[in-house]
Amino acid sequence: MRYVGFSEGYHDAGLAIVTEQGDIEFAGHSERYSKLKNDPVLHFRMSKLIDPMDNISYYEILKDDTQISLKPHQVVPHHVSHAAGAFMTRPWEDPSDTVMLTIDSWGDHESACIFDTDYNTLLKMDGKLSIGKLYATTTKHLGLKPLEDEYVVMGLSCYGEPVMKWYEYLAEAYNTNINNSIDYVKPMVDELSREDAAATLQKFCEDKIYELAKEARKYGSKLVYSGGVAQNIIANTKMRDLFDDVWIPTAVSDAGSALGCAAYTWGKHTGKDRINWQHPYLGHRIKTEANPREIVDYLVNNKICGVANGCAEYGPRALGNRSLLADVRYDVKDTVNEIKRRQKYRPFAPAVLEEYAEEYFEGYMNEYMQYVSKALHDYKSVIHVDGTSRVQIVKKDCPSILRQVLEEYYEKTGVPMLLNTSLNIRGRPMVNNRNDAKLFEQTYDVKVFYEGLH
């Protein structure tokens, strides 16, 4: 029997399949099939992956008016789904001294939870006091799209300075839950520059997240952390010192909860507390193969190209299989932002060969771009205004074509890193299949490698 989990109905629908042996057969986002960013509806092509004999679970408690595509055999509470997605994929085997933290916008009337390894609730925060919702609402008041452009606000915050008058105002309003609403952020946004408003919000949310992490530390020295707020990489970096080890899954939003509820149900049936997580390349597979040497030859001569190869990444980050790559020896940041139709102040991440990472960066780094570190080099296209980078280290056993591309690029140029961003246009999902790759190439005049030229 297989264990199918799905999320649907709010935003970022997803589906995951775990085999009886605990292997992940598939995990993906509905938006990649429908081409609608953060699509809340499970796409019919994903539903076709389900067998009548599968055990199906849903990622939160069903309400009377919930409209969903599939009839689940059981439901898993929202924050438990998030927690299980992290706990059941953790890299360490022994669960002892591990604590789970989830911070989200809202789910089953809660915005944050701390669990022990038996999913007993140690702390829960009412949904009315929501860090995620506060961030989303401020994103909206800044003229951006909530549940999508929070990344933009985080990047913008580095251009401003927190204003303590408004920080204190946020703290008082948040803690007393003024008018049972968080539209109290509007006066701050109206008075401050966009940069300073973003910086004030970011500082306040970092501090609240740190408080929750300190509380979680009382229950364990190893943290598994999920929920939409876990995408705030600046806050992730600041809390990292509290723990001996931290695991954040690649898909922490609601789509990631699809794997969480599948893994949770599998664990309840088998008595085991860990599925076989190997890597995040779990989505739609492009069967034709690109040639790493041809990609590098093109990059060296043309500076920028796309790659669509193998299985799509599970989560919001392109990690080499659906990537737009650029030659870091040139200051191509503005050009890549223009291609992607993004604001010019937004930063890009470097992907670097693991064995050279500490020569170029200082601080926390991992394979999934979940922390910021200080840049020790002057390749401007992958350094943010504050001197930091969201680094992706690429290990020797990385199954993505990106490892081979970096090795070829290093051999040719002596530089062990490339700019790596997602192969999409702002407001659109990432390229998923060969047809998407062809269309991207034709529409935006960017060469995309999705098969060898030969």
Side-chain angles (χ1 to χ4, degrees):
M1 180 170 62
R2 302 186 311 173
Y3 298 83
V4 173
F6 75 105
S7 58
E8 185 183 41
Y10 181 44
H11 72 106
D12 201 15
L15 182 125
I17 302 171
V18 175
T19 70
E20 194 163 1
Q21 293 72 38
D23 298 319
I24 306 169
E25 192 170 292
F26 174 87
H29 302 248
S30 187
E31 65 170 29
R32 310 286 174 84
Y33 296 85
S34 69
K35 317 308 175 191
L36 300 174
K37 188 69 175 175
N38 289 326
D39 191 349
V41 179
L42 198 66
H43 196 267
F44 73 91
R45 289 183 184 170
M46 302 176 83
S47 300
K48 286 183 175 181
L49 299 173
I50 302 171
D51 185 273
M53 298 301 293
D54 291 337
N55 182 297
I56 301 173
S57 56
Y58 183 64
Y59 84 123
E60 66 177 11
I61 297 171
L62 287 165
K63 288 91 176 168
D64 291 339
D65 60 348
T66 304
Q67 300 293 319
I68 54 176
S69 304
L70 306 173
K71 183 177 181 180
H73 297 98
Q74 62 272 307
V75 298
V76 180
H78 186 92
H79 283 269
V80 172
S81 295
H82 277 310
F87 180 64
M88 300 290 286
T89 59
R90 70 190 187 280
W92 56 88
E93 185 173 352
D94 185 355
S96 62
D97 206 27
T98 298
V99 62
M100 311 185 210
L101 172 64
T102 63
I103 312 178
D104 206 2
S105 176
W106 181 286
D108 296 334
H109 305 292
E110 296 162 355
S111 64
C113 289
I114 298 173
F115 300 101
D116 66 16
T117 55
D118 291 319
Y119 299 96
N120 296 312
T121 304
L122 304 173
L123 175 146
K124 64 180 177 180
M125 184 179 289
D126 191 282
K128 296 172 185 176
L129 293 175
S130 171
I131 299 166
K133 193 173 180 183
L134 172 61
Y135 214 101
T137 300
T138 309
T139 298
K140 179 181 178 180
H141 284 308
L142 286 168
L144 298 164
K145 191 171 182 179
L147 299 178
E148 185 174 322
D149 284 338
E150 283 79 0
Y151 294 121
V152 183
V153 177
M154 184 170 58
L156 184 64
S157 72
C158 297
Y159 287 85
E161 292 292 334
V163 177
M164 291 313 297
K165 165 192 167 183
W166 286 103
Y167 177 98
E168 292 166 1
Y169 168 81
L170 278 182
E172 181 180 0
Y174 178 88
N175 291 330
T176 57
N177 196 22
I178 288 179
N179 297 326
N180 201 26
S181 165
I182 55 172
D183 277 341
Y184 54 74
V185 299
K186 190 175 186 301
M188 178 186 76
V189 173
D190 289 344
E191 179 170 311
L192 297 180
S193 71
R194 296 175 83 246
E195 295 83 0
D196 287 348
T200 305
L201 169 75
Q202 176 67 28
K203 167 66 175 168
F204 176 76
C205 290
E206 283 173 18
D207 290 349
K208 299 304 291 185
I209 294 165
Y210 194 84
E211 286 176 15
L212 283 166
K214 281 183 69 177
E215 183 66 23
R217 181 63 181 84
K218 296 175 182 177
Y219 303 100
S221 67
K222 294 180 285 188
L223 177 72
V224 295
Y225 175 38
S226 191
V229 174
Q231 295 173 103
N232 193 308
I233 59 174
I234 301 174
N236 292 352
T237 306
K238 293 188 175 180
M239 69 151 72
R240 180 63 183 80
D241 281 339
L242 290 170
F243 297 91
D244 296 340
D245 210 343
V246 172
W247 169 249
I248 304 170
T250 60
V252 296
S253 71
D254 282 8
S257 293
L259 180 59
C261 61
Y264 177 85
T265 306
W266 174 86
K268 289 298 181 184
H269 282 235
T270 63
K272 298 178 181 178
D273 62 22
R274 213 163 150 246
I275 60 174
N276 301 323
W277 170 271
Q278 300 294 327
H279 54 73
Y281 307 101
L282 298 165
H284 177 83
R285 182 187 173 197
I286 294 177
K287 295 180 181 179
T288 54
E289 294 187 5
N291 185 304
R293 184 167 295 176
E294 290 170 354
I295 293 169
V296 171
D297 287 345
Y298 188 91
L299 271 174
V300 169
N301 291 316
N302 298 278
K303 301 185 179 67
I304 300 167
C305 74
V307 176
N309 189 81
C311 294
E313 298 89 339
Y314 187 42
R317 307 289 189 200
L319 301 169
N321 280 7
R322 300 294 186 275
S323 288
L324 190 63
L325 303 176
D327 191 331
V328 295
R329 297 174 301 164
Y330 304 94
D331 191 2
V332 293
K333 178 181 172 183
D334 287 352
T335 303
V336 180
N337 268 324
E338 285 172 9
I339 292 170
K340 289 173 65 70
R341 311 295 194 263
R342 303 194 327 173
Q343 300 89 344
K344 288 191 175 181
Y345 58 78
R346 291 184 65 182
F348 290 107
V352 60
L353 292 171
E354 177 187 27
E355 54 268 39
Y356 300 102
E358 292 185 358
E359 295 179 25
Y360 288 82
F361 304 96
E362 180 180 70
Y364 290 114
M365 298 174 272
N366 71 1
E367 306 102 300
Y368 309 129
M369 304 181 190
Q370 292 169 327
Y371 302 101
V372 293
S373 57
K374 181 181 177 183
L376 303 176
H377 59 84
D378 58 1
Y379 294 111
K380 296 179 181 179
S381 61
V382 291
I383 304 176
H384 199 26
V385 66
D386 61 354
T388 66
S389 297
R390 187 187 69 218
V391 179
Q392 176 194 1
I393 61 169
V394 183
K395 295 186 174 182
K396 292 181 179 179
D397 61 354
C398 175
S400 169
I401 193 174
L402 183 58
R403 176 69 198 195
Q404 299 169 64
V405 170
L406 281 168
E407 289 173 348
E408 291 278 355
Y409 179 77
Y410 177 63
E411 184 176 335
K412 189 175 283 283
T413 67
V415 180
M417 66 178 168
L418 289 165
L419 181 155
N420 177 23
T421 187
S422 54
L423 188 58
N424 72 320
I425 300 301
R426 183 187 175 200
R428 298 277 294 170
M430 274 189 268
V431 162
N432 195 42
N433 55 36
R434 292 176 80 252
N435 289 337
D436 295 343
K438 285 181 185 178
L439 184 61
F440 188 97
E441 184 174 74
Q442 294 165 0
T443 305
Y444 304 109
D445 195 28
V446 176
K447 174 62 186 172
V448 179
F449 288 86
Y450 52 89
E451 60 187 354
L453 298 176
H454 308 301

